[in-house]
C-alpha cells in the first residue's frame, strides 16, 4: 500500500521521498541545536564508565549508520568494535558475557522485536545499553539504559533518507562526546547539505545515463564504505536494480572479475585517507574499461566517466558521509521515477520491518 495520506500525494510518485530528502538540512540543524546537549550528557555518563569494547546492532539502513559508528569508534576513540549477530541471542539463546561492554542499537522505529530482545538480553548480561532511534517512546528506547533521539521528525516514505543522515550526525556527536570533543567539525553540514541538495539537475543527468542499467557496483573505503552500502540499498529498494556494494579492498579480491564496460561502477571517494586508499582500486577499474562514476572531490571526478563533485574543502573526512549520501539518495529517486516506479512505496516492503 502506498505510504500516502492524500490524493494529491498519491498522484505524484516519489513526492513524499522528495520532500523528506529536502528536509535533511533542517533535521541536521535540529540535531546540532537541540540534540547536541543531550547527546553530550549521555556520552559523558557512558565515558565515565570506561567501556572496554563496543557492540553495534541494527537492521537495514540503520545497519549502515551503525557501520559508520564502528569506523568512528575504532578510528577516533581506539575502541574495539563488533557488529552483533542478533540471531545468536534471539534464535539460539546464547548469553554472552557483556560486563563493561557498550551495546549500541540503532533503529529508526525502535520497534523490531529482535532488536528489542537482543538489547534487553545485552542489558541483562551486564552491557551498557544505548538506543539511537527516531522514536523516544519506542520499545527499544524503553528497554535500553540510555537513549539518543535523532530528531529527524516523522518519516513516511518507505526509503529512509532524513533518519539516516540524522543518525549519522547523532552518532558522530556521541563519539566526539565520548572522547571529550565538541563536534565542531559538524557545524558546516546543514548549509553544505543545502547546497548539495540544490544540484538536482546534475543528479538527473546521471539518472538519465543509468536508467537502463541492469546492475550496479558501488565501492568505497574507510568512512565512505557505509555510504556505498546505503546507496546500494537505496537503489535496490526504490528502482529494483541489483546493486552490489564492496569495500574497495574486497572488490580486488575476486568481484573485480565481473566488472566490464557495461555495468556502471559508482565510487564514493572521501577526501582524506579513505580516498587515498581507494586510488589503486580506481586505477584498476579504469584499466578494465569500467563506466566509472565518482562521488567525491573534483580531482577524482575529473578522472572518471561521470560523477558528482562534493564540496569537501573545510569538511573533515569523518563527517563527509553525511554529504556523500545526498546525491546518491537523489540518484536512487530519479532512477526509480525514470523507470516508472514509485519510490515512496516500493513493492513488498513495509515502513516498519519486524524481524525475530
Amino acid at each position: 500500500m502506498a505510504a500516502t495520506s492524500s490524493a494529491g500525494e498519491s498522484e505524484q510518485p516519489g513526492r513524499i521521498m522528495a520532500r523528506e530528502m529536502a528536509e535533511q538540512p533542517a533535521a541536521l540543524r535540529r540535531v546540532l541545536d537541540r540534540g547536541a546537549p543531550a547527546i553530550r550528557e549521555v556520552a559523558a555518563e557512558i565515558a565515565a564508565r570506561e567501556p572496554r569494547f563496543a557492540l553495534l546492532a541494527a537492521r537495514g539502513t540503520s545497519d549502515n549508520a551503525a557501520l559508520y559508528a564502528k569506523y568512528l569508534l575504532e578510528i577516533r576513540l581506539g575502541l574495539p568494535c563488533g557488529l552483533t549477530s542478533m540471531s545468536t541471542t534471539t534464535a539460539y539463546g546464547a548469553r554472552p558475557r557483556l560486563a563493561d561492554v557498550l551495546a549500541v542499537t540503532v533503529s529508526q522505529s525502535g520497534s523490531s522485536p529482535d532488536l528489542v530482545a537482543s538489547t534487553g538480553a545485552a542489558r541483562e548480561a551486564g552491557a551498557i545499553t544505548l538506543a539511537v532511534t527516531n522514536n523516544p517512546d519506542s520499545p527499544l528506547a524503553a528497554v535500553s539504559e540510555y537513549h539518543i533521539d535523532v530528531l529527524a521528525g516523522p518519516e513516511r516514505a518507505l526509503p529512509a533518507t532524513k533518519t539516516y543522515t540524522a543518525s549519522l550526525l547523532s552518532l558522530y556527536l556521541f563519539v566526539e562526546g565520548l572522547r571529550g570533543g565538541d563536534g565542531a567539525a559538524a557545524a558546516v553540514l546543514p548549509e553544505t547539505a543545502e547546497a548539495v541538495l540544490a544540484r538536482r539537475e546534475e543528479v538527473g543527468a546521471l539518472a538519465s545515463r543509468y536508467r537502463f542499467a541492469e546492475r550496479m557496483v558501488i565501492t568505497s573505503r574507510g568512512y565512505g564504505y557505509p555510504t556505498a552500502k546505503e546507496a546500494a540499498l537505496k537503489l535496490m529498494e526504490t528502482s529494483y536494480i541489483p546493486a552490489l556494494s564492496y569495500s574497495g579492498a574486497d572488490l580486488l579480491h575476486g568481484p573485480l572479475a565481473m566488472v566490464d564496460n557495461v555495468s556502471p561502477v559508482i565510487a564514493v571517494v572521501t577526501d582524506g585517507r579513505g580516498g587515498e586508499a581507494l586510488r589503486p582500486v580506481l586505477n584498476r577499474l579504469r584499466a578494465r574499461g569500467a563506466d566509472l562514476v565518482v562521488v567525491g572531490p573534483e580531482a577524482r571526478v575529473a578522472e572518471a566517466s561521470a560523477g558528482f563533485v562534493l564540496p569537501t574543502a573545510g569538511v573533515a573526512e569523518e563527517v563527509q558521509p553525511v554529504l556523500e549520501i545526498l546525491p546518491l539518495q537523489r540518484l536512487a529517486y530519479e532512477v526509480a521515477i525514470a523507470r516508472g516506479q514509485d519510490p515512496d512505496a516500493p513493492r513488498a516492503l513495509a515502513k516498519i520491518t519486524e524481524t525475530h
Side-chain angles (χ1 to χ4, degrees):
M1 182 172 66
T4 57
S5 62
S6 70
E9 287 181 341
S10 63
E11 290 167 4
Q12 298 183 40
R15 177 177 172 180
I16 302 173
M17 182 179 176
R19 186 181 66 234
E20 291 177 348
M21 286 189 292
E23 291 173 0
Q24 289 177 104
L28 296 175
R29 288 190 182 95
R30 272 198 302 276
V31 175
L32 290 172
D33 295 342
R34 288 172 40 200
I39 293 172
R40 281 194 295 269
E41 185 176 333
V42 167
E45 289 190 27
I46 291 176
R49 297 171 66 172
E50 300 182 340
R52 58 184 173 85
F53 191 86
L55 286 174
L56 297 138
R59 296 286 190 198
T61 284
S62 294
D63 200 30
N64 300 325
L67 180 58
Y68 169 70
K70 183 177 186 292
Y71 276 92
L72 287 171
L73 286 162
E74 291 182 341
I75 296 170
R76 306 286 288 173
L77 206 62
L79 190 68
C81 272
L83 297 175
T84 301
S85 299
M86 283 166 284
S87 63
T88 61
T89 298
T90 59
Y92 291 93
R95 289 296 181 265
R97 296 181 296 275
L98 299 178
D100 301 322
V101 170
L102 170 60
V104 181
T105 308
V106 187
S107 171
Q108 174 190 321
S109 68
S111 298
S112 186
D114 57 349
L115 291 171
V116 176
S118 63
T119 301
R123 188 171 181 179
E124 289 174 4
I128 306 162
T129 52
L130 167 66
V132 180
T133 81
N134 195 40
N135 182 5
D137 299 319
S138 63
L140 180 60
V143 79
S144 301
E145 186 176 358
Y146 298 98
H147 177 256
I148 288 174
D149 185 352
V150 303
L151 298 172
E155 188 170 59
R156 293 173 46 241
L158 288 181
T161 54
K162 63 181 182 177
T163 51
Y164 179 69
T165 48
S167 294
L168 295 187
L169 178 53
S170 298
L171 288 164
Y172 167 75
L173 293 174
F174 170 66
V175 174
E176 285 300 289
L178 287 178
R179 63 192 293 268
D182 60 7
V188 302
L189 292 176
E191 185 176 349
T192 313
E194 217 157 42
V196 170
L197 288 168
R199 294 159 57 193
R200 292 186 293 273
E201 291 184 6
E202 293 179 49
V203 182
L206 286 176
S208 297
R209 180 182 177 113
Y210 299 118
R211 62 179 293 192
F212 297 113
E214 294 186 2
R215 73 162 186 242
M216 290 187 181
V217 174
I218 308 176
T219 188
S220 188
R221 291 202 71 180
Y223 288 117
Y225 181 42
T227 306
K229 291 177 67 68
E230 175 62 10
L233 176 59
K234 285 290 157 284
L235 283 162
M236 287 189 286
E237 68 184 353
T238 58
S239 60
Y240 318 141
I241 295 175
L244 308 172
S245 59
Y246 295 99
S247 155
D250 286 333
L251 185 64
L252 298 184
H253 282 266
L256 183 68
M258 72 177 173
V259 173
D260 53 30
N261 61 356
V262 177
S263 300
V265 178
I266 300 175
V268 180
V269 184
T270 53
D271 191 3
R273 294 187 183 185
E276 287 301 313
L278 194 63
R279 272 200 186 203
V281 182
L282 301 180
N283 293 338
R284 292 284 298 277
L285 289 168
R286 283 192 293 268
R288 288 196 56 80
D291 184 1
L292 180 62
V293 183
V294 167
V295 175
E298 185 173 9
R300 301 286 80 80
V301 173
E303 299 169 350
S305 307
F308 187 97
V309 176
L310 279 178
T312 56
V315 183
E317 180 181 4
E318 59 267 22
V319 297
Q320 287 177 34
V322 179
L323 304 176
E324 290 167 349
I325 192 59
L326 301 178
L328 294 167
Q329 290 173 345
R330 188 79 198 187
L331 179 66
Y333 167 88
E334 295 284 0
V335 169
I337 294 293
R339 290 164 72 101
Q341 312 296 346
D342 182 1
D344 284 342
R347 64 193 183 200
L349 297 182
K351 185 59 181 173
I352 298 175
T353 302
E354 294 190 355
T355 47
H356 296 269

